[in-house]
Amino acid sequence: MERAGIQLLFAGTIFSSAFLLFLVQPLIAKQILPWFGGSAAVWSICMVFFQAVLLAGYAYSDWVTRHLRVRVQAALHVGLLLASLAFLPLVVAARWKPTGAEDPTWLILGLLLATIGLPYFLLSTTGPLVQSWVARTPWSARVYRYFSLSNLASLLSLLSYPVLIEPRSSLLQQAQGWSWGYGAFVVLCAGTTLLVAYRWSEAVPASTSTATAGEETPPRWSDALLWLALPALASWLLLAVTNHITQNVAAVPFLWILPLSLYLFTFVLCFESDRWYRRGVFLPLTAGVLVLCAFGLQHHIGSDVRTGLPIYVGGLFVLCMFLHGETARLRPAPRYLTRFYLMLSLGGAIGGALVGLVAPHVLPAYYELGIGLTLTALAAVAVLRRRLWLRLSGVALAACCVFFLVAQIRSDRLGARHLVRSFYGALITFDVRRANPPSYVRLLSHGSIKHGEQFLDPLRRREPTTYYGATSGIGRAMAAAPDGPRRVGLIGLGAGTLATYGRSGDVYRIYEINPQVFELADSEFTFLRDSSAQTERVLGDARLALEREAPQGFDLLAVDAFSGDAVPVHLLTAEALDVYLRHMKPDGIVAFHVSNRYLELAPVVARIAALKGVHAVLVSDDAKESKWLNSTDWVLVARDPAVLAREPLRGAASPIALPANTRPWTDDFNNLLGVLK
């Protein structure tokens, strides 16, 4: 009974640390997202911080276990645990809100360090540190199963946040609940630490005892290099596959959870025991997946959800089983455990940084998946170096992946006029021939999302297309605007199609976060330069810019940013609507483009409009009368209901049904899962 209780204490400490570690990441990032305009860069900077602190935690665990006696380790660690309680509750102080003059990167890093730095650091140390203590106990042979347990906790945390926690609680409630959970973890971890110091302070890991020390050989440098390389490739493939399926297969919210869950699940299986990873099964599967995925990238196989998800997500599972399974086969004796975990963590951070931070600035499109497949084949050569025929097979696989990668690049170059990429994604422009009647058009696409289309015929190039026809909600709102000079705000530029509605004397103020969109709108399309309106440009996040600006007095404000998978929620909250209304004339209209294959956003807008005492209607247009327009949904919001009854809105607008018991979205509460179609 005593042994079972002690093992339960170890397991509970490791499980709680991993669960809280994964839970705090979305929680803290969501707190500060609206402060910095909801920019995607906020998430990236947070991830850099989390990876850096995780590495620091693993390095701490490695150092103290090799240089300090157990009782000194215990005194130091319990002292740090008690000191970390001063960081609670986990609520970012208002003094960290930006004024606009600071560098947001350093401000975000500073507030993260001040808010969560020490607790996150201690959570990061728990897994390897507690496992090093388990190695001193009589059941040290089972130490690596605790690593599997920590990954299981991470997986459960990942799944529980969007499904159970986010839909049912505000950010403040989440922060308070996490703080209580962390307090319980401190008690568990301190108890574990003191128990080890009391019971096994003089013991050494079983693997380093006199009886076995002569049999134990230090890891070879080649094995240590694979400790780094294999997890790096798994992390690389995780992000590369996630980018591919969310950009090129389907822009579905929460789709990124699926590959991350399988990635963590392979850790659970491979480190739980050796029975799950069998070379005889996974080596042939890995070879087949490498060829299929590389071939599919070049021939655009799996470009829809039904085929794309099985190919690429299933392929990721197989490849991560191979990479993590081979890593588990190389795990050292418990004496080298903390160094092993340090290398695993460093490898994961390197793989993530190369894809998340370096690739957008080096590669013109999403070629990192093809590169990752090639590197995985070469890793197989290194792992299976003792068998000539397996080495030759790995080299052949790598050559095959390179061939298809080159073919993919040539195919993209052949069809594209411009192919550019930045932190915000890859943009491509290309010309296509439409039939019935025949006509050439130029398209702007961001992955699977079309952001604009223009006729190349000079007689038709000022004609609004795609989502912006005269019968769409925005087209009707333009027609219903006052006859005199208009001041129009556009959140999201795309190809610049809405500028076709500009008249002499009008002013169009355009808010766009991606500078490359401005560049392509100028060089590849003529909507902006053909417009009779004067245009003003604001580079950066629209909400952040509008919060800083004096009231603009807009007759119409078009909010057009919700078609992709990464919905900028901060543009759809009650606080955001307050910002928009401050910039509107009394009879102005705020138009939300809510066309989306996967999300029902019209009730979200209607709910926040009702909360603010303004009126909202839905204008749906099936565009059956035109071959050049897409079906669209626009929600129009105005203070005066009479404005929404003007011609040509009368008859086209309809009320929006509000589901019962739905909460309005705020900066403190929003729930994408609740609006999935």
Short mmCIF file of all heavy atoms in Angstrom, two decimals, residues 113 118 151 265 291 294 438 569:
data_model
loop_
_atom_site.label_atom_id
_atom_site.label_comp_id
_atom_site.label_asym_id
_atom_site.label_seq_id
_atom_site.Cartn_x
_atom_site.Cartn_y
_atom_site.Cartn_z
N LEU A 113 6.93 37.20 -18.75
CA LEU A 113 7.92 36.88 -17.73
C LEU A 113 7.44 37.30 -16.35
O LEU A 113 7.60 36.57 -15.36
CB LEU A 113 9.25 37.56 -18.07
CG LEU A 113 10.44 37.22 -17.17
CD1 LEU A 113 10.77 35.74 -17.28
CD2 LEU A 113 11.65 38.08 -17.53
N LEU A 118 7.94 32.41 -13.47
CA LEU A 118 8.41 31.41 -12.50
C LEU A 118 7.48 30.20 -12.41
O LEU A 118 7.96 29.05 -12.40
CB LEU A 118 8.60 32.05 -11.13
CG LEU A 118 9.25 31.16 -10.07
CD1 LEU A 118 10.58 30.59 -10.55
CD2 LEU A 118 9.43 31.93 -8.76
N ASN A 151 2.74 13.18 -21.29
CA ASN A 151 2.19 13.49 -22.61
C ASN A 151 0.70 13.20 -22.69
O ASN A 151 -0.03 13.91 -23.38
CB ASN A 151 2.95 12.71 -23.69
CG ASN A 151 4.29 13.33 -24.02
OD1 ASN A 151 4.39 14.33 -24.72
ND2 ASN A 151 5.35 12.75 -23.47
N PHE A 265 -0.11 11.90 -28.91
CA PHE A 265 -0.50 10.51 -28.70
C PHE A 265 0.63 9.55 -29.07
O PHE A 265 0.82 8.51 -28.42
CB PHE A 265 -1.75 10.19 -29.52
CG PHE A 265 -2.37 8.86 -29.21
CD1 PHE A 265 -2.64 8.49 -27.91
CD2 PHE A 265 -2.69 7.98 -30.23
CE1 PHE A 265 -3.22 7.26 -27.61
CE2 PHE A 265 -3.26 6.75 -29.94
CZ PHE A 265 -3.52 6.39 -28.64
N VAL A 291 6.30 8.58 -49.72
CA VAL A 291 6.06 8.66 -51.16
C VAL A 291 4.69 9.27 -51.45
O VAL A 291 4.55 10.16 -52.30
CB VAL A 291 6.19 7.27 -51.81
CG1 VAL A 291 5.80 7.34 -53.28
CG2 VAL A 291 7.61 6.75 -51.66
N ALA A 294 4.61 13.11 -50.49
CA ALA A 294 5.43 13.90 -51.41
C ALA A 294 4.79 13.96 -52.78
O ALA A 294 4.73 15.03 -53.42
CB ALA A 294 6.83 13.30 -51.50
N PRO A 438 -16.73 33.14 -72.36
CA PRO A 438 -15.29 33.11 -72.07
C PRO A 438 -14.76 34.47 -71.63
O PRO A 438 -15.13 35.51 -72.19
CB PRO A 438 -14.68 32.67 -73.41
CG PRO A 438 -15.69 33.04 -74.44
CD PRO A 438 -17.02 32.89 -73.78
N VAL A 569 -11.10 36.81 -33.55
CA VAL A 569 -12.25 36.94 -32.65
C VAL A 569 -12.34 38.33 -32.05
O VAL A 569 -13.43 38.84 -31.79
CB VAL A 569 -12.13 35.86 -31.54
CG1 VAL A 569 -13.12 36.12 -30.42
CG2 VAL A 569 -12.34 34.48 -32.14
#
